[in-house]
Amino acid sequence: MEKLNNFTVLQPNNVNRKMYDKGIIGDGTSAVQSVRFDPQDKYLAVGCEDGSIKIFNVSNSKLVYTLNQRRNDGSGEEEKRPSTCIRWRPTGTSARTKNVLISVHADGSVQHWHTTSGKSLHKLYSNHNQLYCADFSPDGRFFATAGRDLIVRVYDETTKSVVTEFQPGGAGSPGHSNRIFSVKYNIQEPNILISGGWDNTIQIWDMREGCAVRAIFGPHVCGDSLDVRDNVILAGSWRDKEQLQIFYQGSGELINTIDWDGGVGIKRSAEPCQVYAAQYSKHDVGEMILAGGSKSNEARAFDTMNYNKPFAAIMDMPGPVFSVDFSHNGALAALGCADGYIRLLTISKTV
């Protein structure tokens, strides 16, 4: 057991992976809504409730850049609308400018940033909307956003114009009937993206068909808690039971409900964890899962190569975990928390 200020890392014996604390970063001034490692694992971007985006150097945990929205009225004053989701533009894109990320905000804005210069490259609005989620296509040619108005919009990254709007109704599945909190591209099938939200469905959208080709009923998605690897969907739900489930993308069939405690010696929490965030590891086709949430205010890491059993529990945090991320090399994990701090963890394989 390891203790660092205000969180504890617990691990069962005889597991193939180990997780250790690397430290706490941040200043605690604003709740962390989104965390993301850049493609080279050099920087960690942090989107905050006060609208700011903070960029930390991963190697020394120091704050190196702060990006602040500005009001659109010419005053130059800061715009303090929550940065609900951030995504780095993938490397390998034809765009010449590197170190670019997008952020979406509660005022319906989508902003492109050049992080190392602090410049805002482009800003657009989804009018009369609140945006809660975004994702880039694997090749970086498109990005998708979604939020309160039930529409998943796909934009051309070069022109910043809408190329597809996935709306309720029409052909295929009827689409969403309530707010959307997660949208995710399938990295192995770039024409497919999935979304989920308050309506207890996951919609599977196909760019070629222009509509949802399938719906999965059940998961109650309230944050960035969808992911897909090898055509298997991971879904985290904000509820007391069946918080983590995996489904076949092709059929929508439930494969497994992951036991949060796993029966391998990790202490059970006094309260269940209601999941806000969940993710597969990136470098190994999803050999690990990281998820966290509220009520018990904890996160857990699971080994998909060992029957989805947990290999670490991060507990005793003072508030909910709103966002999680693995580094691209699988050696680090980050938890974005409601108290305005980010918990960093290192991961190693023992065999």
Side-chain angles (χ1 to χ4, degrees):
M1 183 180 76
E2 298 200 7
K3 185 86 172 180
L4 178 63
N5 294 336
N6 57 349
F7 78 99
T8 305
V9 180
L10 298 176
Q11 299 183 98
N13 297 321
N14 303 318
V15 292
N16 295 332
R17 302 178 194 273
K18 292 291 185 179
M19 182 173 275
Y20 304 97
D21 70 71
K22 180 176 168 59
I24 298 177
I25 60 176
D27 56 17
T29 58
S30 181
V32 175
Q33 300 289 310
S34 186
V35 293
R36 270 298 181 276
F37 290 95
D38 82 316
Q40 289 76 36
D41 295 329
K42 181 179 180 180
Y43 299 116
L44 178 70
V46 178
C48 300
E49 190 175 43
D50 65 3
S52 66
I53 300 167
K54 299 171 182 177
I55 312 295
F56 292 88
N57 184 306
V58 172
S59 63
N60 59 21
S61 300
K62 290 184 178 180
L63 177 66
V64 288
Y65 309 106
T66 300
L67 313 175
N68 290 307
Q69 289 194 98
R70 299 294 173 181
R71 295 178 64 89
N72 214 29
D73 57 8
S75 67
E77 295 181 4
E78 290 184 13
E79 183 78 73
K80 296 187 180 297
R81 298 298 181 98
S83 300
T84 51
C85 186
I86 52 178
R87 288 290 189 270
W88 293 90
R89 188 165 65 191
T91 55
T93 176
S94 59
R96 296 173 62 183
T97 306
K98 306 304 179 184
N99 299 316
V100 171
L101 63 76
I102 60 169
S103 60
V104 298
H105 302 266
D107 63 352
S109 63
V110 184
Q111 194 144 358
H112 280 69
W113 300 93
H114 183 235
T115 55
T116 50
S117 69
K119 292 181 179 180
S120 172
L121 301 177
H122 190 271
K123 189 173 186 178
L124 59 89
Y125 281 91
S126 177
N127 293 325
H128 311 295
N129 195 12
Q130 293 178 349
L131 293 177
Y132 307 130
C133 53
D135 201 30
F136 268 106
S137 63
D139 59 8
R141 293 175 56 212
F142 303 98
F143 63 92
T145 68
R148 187 179 64 181
D149 74 354
L150 319 184
I151 300 172
V152 177
R153 291 178 175 84
V154 178
Y155 294 82
D156 183 285
E157 168 62 7
T158 301
T159 65
K160 310 297 190 290
S161 59
V162 176
V163 294
T164 302
E165 287 189 344
F166 293 121
Q167 302 194 40
S173 168
H176 286 293
S177 61
N178 211 326
R179 301 183 184 204
I180 304 168
F181 282 90
S182 187
V183 62
K184 193 65 61 76
Y185 274 92
N186 183 334
I187 61 172
Q188 283 131 343
E189 289 191 57
N191 287 306
I192 300 293
L193 61 160
I194 62 173
S195 60
W198 278 357
D199 62 5
N200 300 326
T201 73
I202 298 171
Q203 301 291 328
I204 301 173
W205 309 94
D206 192 324
M207 291 285 291
R208 296 160 297 191
E209 300 292 333
C211 64
V213 295
R214 186 168 293 102
I216 297 171
F217 296 92
H220 185 63
V221 175
C222 293
D224 191 5
S225 63
L226 294 180
D227 206 355
V228 56
R229 288 290 185 277
D230 201 21
N231 295 318
V232 172
I233 294 171
L234 169 68
S237 292
W238 193 79
R239 59 192 180 200
D240 289 355
K241 298 179 180 179
E242 300 181 339
Q243 306 100 314
L244 279 181
Q245 296 176 303
I246 50 177
F247 300 85
Y248 287 117
Q249 178 188 291
S251 65
E253 178 185 355
L254 175 67
I255 299 172
N256 190 24
T257 296
I258 297 174
D259 184 350
W260 187 259
D261 295 291
V264 291
I266 291 181
K267 180 180 72 174
R268 290 182 177 268
S269 303
E271 298 281 355
C273 183
Q274 299 172 324
V275 170
Y276 275 121
Q279 188 185 107
Y280 281 121
S281 52
K282 303 168 186 174
H283 73 299
D284 52 14
V285 198
E287 289 188 3
M288 296 179 286
I289 292 170
L290 183 63
S294 64
K295 204 167 185 178
S296 62
N297 299 334
E298 66 180 19
R300 300 217 171 186
F302 302 84
D303 190 342
T304 65
M305 306 303 291
N306 186 28
Y307 306 102
N308 298 315
K309 292 186 180 297
F311 66 89
I314 304 93
M315 308 176 73
D316 301 327
M317 287 178 282
V321 176
F322 286 147
S323 182
V324 302
D325 195 32
F326 283 108
S327 62
H328 290 77
N329 63 13
L332 295 171
L335 310 178
C337 302
D339 64 353
Y341 291 98
I342 305 95
R343 277 79 181 169
L344 291 178
L345 302 122
T346 60
I347 306 165
S348 62
K349 202 168 183 178
T350 58
V351 293

